[in-house]
Amino acid sequence: MLPPSRKSLAAAFAPACLALLLFLVPSTLFAAGPQAAFEAAWYVWVLLLFVFSFVLGIFAVLAGVGGGVLFVPIVSSFFPFHLDYVRGAGLMVALSGAISAGAPLMRKGLADLKLGLPMALIGSMSSIAGAMVGLALPAQTVQLLLGIVIVAIAVIMLLSGKSGYPVVKVPDALSKALHISGIYYEESIGKEISWQVHRTPLSFVFFLMIGFIGGMFGLGAGFANVPVFNLLMGVPLKVSVATSGLVLSINGAAAAWVYMFKGAMLPLIAVPSIGGMMLGSKIGARLLSRVNTGSVRVIVVSMLAVAGFRSLLKGFGI
Amino acid sequence: MKQQSTAARPPVHHEQLAYAGVLDRLSHLAMLFLAGGYMTYVFRLLPQKVGIADIAANWHLRASEMQARLDAPVGWSFIASPESFLRGDALSYLSIILVCMIPVACLLWTAPSFFREKRPVFGIIAILQVVILAVASSGILVR
């Protein structure tokens, strides 16, 4: 039996090899386009998509990232589906994950309606605009921009810090007027944590931009919601993560309609992605206490960077 | 941020519990519908408007190009007639629509609670959010 450190090393080694393989193998082998070298029946692709989403679901939970941000760049790089349908499915993956996890988090007071609703109101409008722009732009341009955004997200994830219990000495006037503050029970230390926020107006601007990017690329945008809540507004990390789910469930639902009306939502692709990701997330949640999440996070960020570079290359027509 | 030593858990706002209750029930229902609709679709238990093989032969095309060739369900087109509704692909598509409607149902259920709890600003925000989602679901913005 391996000691825990070796176990985590072994757990980290397998996906590292996978990431390297993904980088080395030519994209034509994965049929990432109409000139597919690997022809297969539709059900083979659907099954592969389900299995792939399942594995992504596990790693997404272990790395503490949303499913959509991994799903869109990787599936658009290695599956034969057009980016339009992958983005539509990506939104549904993020939306379904947030919806299925939402109720218990709200009952515990971790996801906060008063904090999330104003941000979702702003974000949902821009996510609709983002989806419209994304579906109007040439596919190659969107692929190129997706590559840039994903590489930037990987860098942000590596560099950005996080604060468990930020201290906000003076709340801003707007958050005071809206009574945006709260209290929750922190199980890990057995204490109640009360919180308040600052820089609310600036946060609205950030949520406007995040909603646009989320809608345009079909990303869940939890990667950006959490740092804005946590580092900018001073919301405790757990409340930030939980409330981010509430925001992206509303933003995702708004943008998804644009994809549906533009014919970019294929149940054949979206439903197995949702199913695989949700099952994988449940397994990931069970593995969470046994795996070195720090190592997994580094690997997932590396995979994200690889997928981002592939998107960039595809965007340049390489 | 203050830490208070107490074993009792802080109360959660009534409207938040209302939102969570609807979300819980509808999310389970939607997941069942997603699975059932998809099984009906891929195992061809009902006829399909556009065959799976046709979708698969064109899924490398842009959405607009595929739509021009196949006329697959978009927006609310599948409820144009009873015949178009009772199809495998329409049923699976409907399950996706149900997932997207969950936040609307939660907000509609919660908005009156905000007014009852004397938090009218949030009641108004909830209603505005429903209006935005309703406008998006009407398809006006993409015509």
Side-chain angles (χ1 to χ4, degrees), chain A residues 76-108:
Chain A
S76 68
S77 291
F78 303 114
F79 280 79
F81 322 128
H82 193 277
L83 184 58
D84 286 355
Y85 315 114
V86 179
R87 284 182 289 158
L91 272 177
M92 291 309 298
V93 162
L95 166 62
S96 310
I99 279 174
S100 61
L105 295 173
M106 295 190 89
R107 288 195 179 109
K108 285 181 182 175

Side-chain angles (χ1 to χ4, degrees), chain A residues 46 82 84-85 106-107 111 113-114 120-121 124 132 137 165-166 178 192 194 250 257 260-261 263 267-268, chain B residues 1-2 4-5 8 12 16 19 24 38 52 59-63 66 74-76 92-93 122 129 137 141-142:
Chain A
V46 168
H82 193 277
D84 286 355
Y85 315 114
M106 295 190 89
R107 288 195 179 109
L113 264 185
K114 285 190 296 169
L121 186 67
S124 60
M132 290 165 72
L137 284 174
Y165 315 108
L178 291 172
E192 285 181 7
S194 62
I250 295 173
W257 282 108
M260 281 194 267
F261 277 99
L268 192 60
Chain B
M1 185 276 301
K2 291 173 231 156
Q4 299 151 7
S5 261
V12 175
Q16 187 147 319
Y19 193 104
D24 201 11
Y38 197 71
I52 293 175
W59 62 22
H60 62 280
L61 298 176
R62 280 216 86 154
M66 185 196 273
V74 292
W76 296 100
S92 191
Y93 191 77
F122 286 93
Q129 186 65 73
S137 67
L141 298 171
V142 291

Side-chain angles (χ1 to χ4, degrees), chain A residues 111-291:
Chain A
D112 193 272
L113 264 185
K114 285 190 296 169
L115 174 65
L117 281 186
M119 305 306 162
L121 186 67
I122 300 285
S124 60
M125 287 190 276
S126 60
S127 71
I128 292 170
M132 290 165 72
V133 170
L135 286 169
L137 284 174
Q140 204 153 349
T141 308
V142 178
Q143 190 85 52
L144 186 67
L145 293 173
L146 175 69
I148 294 168
V149 167
I150 294 297
V151 171
I153 291 168
V155 172
I156 289 168
M157 283 177 68
L158 270 185
L159 300 182
S160 74
K162 53 189 172 187
S163 174
Y165 315 108
V167 177
V168 175
K169 287 180 180 158
V170 185
D172 63 87
L174 183 59
S175 73
K176 265 169 94 173
L178 291 172
H179 300 288
I180 301 177
S181 61
I183 186 165
Y184 76 100
Y185 182 73
E186 176 57 69
E187 289 183 15
S188 62
I189 54 174
K191 283 181 180 169
E192 285 181 7
I193 306 289
S194 62
W195 55 268
Q196 51 191 5
V197 301
H198 56 180
R199 305 187 192 114
T200 308
L202 181 61
S203 305
F204 280 132
V205 178
F206 274 93
F207 277 100
L208 195 74
M209 293 191 292
I210 294 166
F212 188 87
I213 290 170
M216 185 168 176
F217 299 112
L219 307 173
F223 65 90
N225 290 341
V226 175
V228 173
F229 276 138
N230 183 227
L231 300 176
L232 186 70
M233 296 183 77
V235 180
L237 187 61
K238 284 189 179 175
V239 179
S240 301
V241 172
T243 308
S244 163
L246 169 73
V247 173
L248 74 85
S249 72
I250 295 173
N251 290 359
W257 282 108
V258 179
Y259 285 85
M260 281 194 267
F261 277 99
K262 289 283 188 182
M265 191 69 80
L266 293 181
L268 192 60
I269 295 170
V271 178
S273 310
I274 295 167
M277 188 69 80
M278 288 181 75
L279 283 177
S281 303
K282 286 189 187 297
I283 304 290
R286 288 188 175 200
L287 291 174
L288 201 56
S289 58
R290 283 181 264 167
V291 175

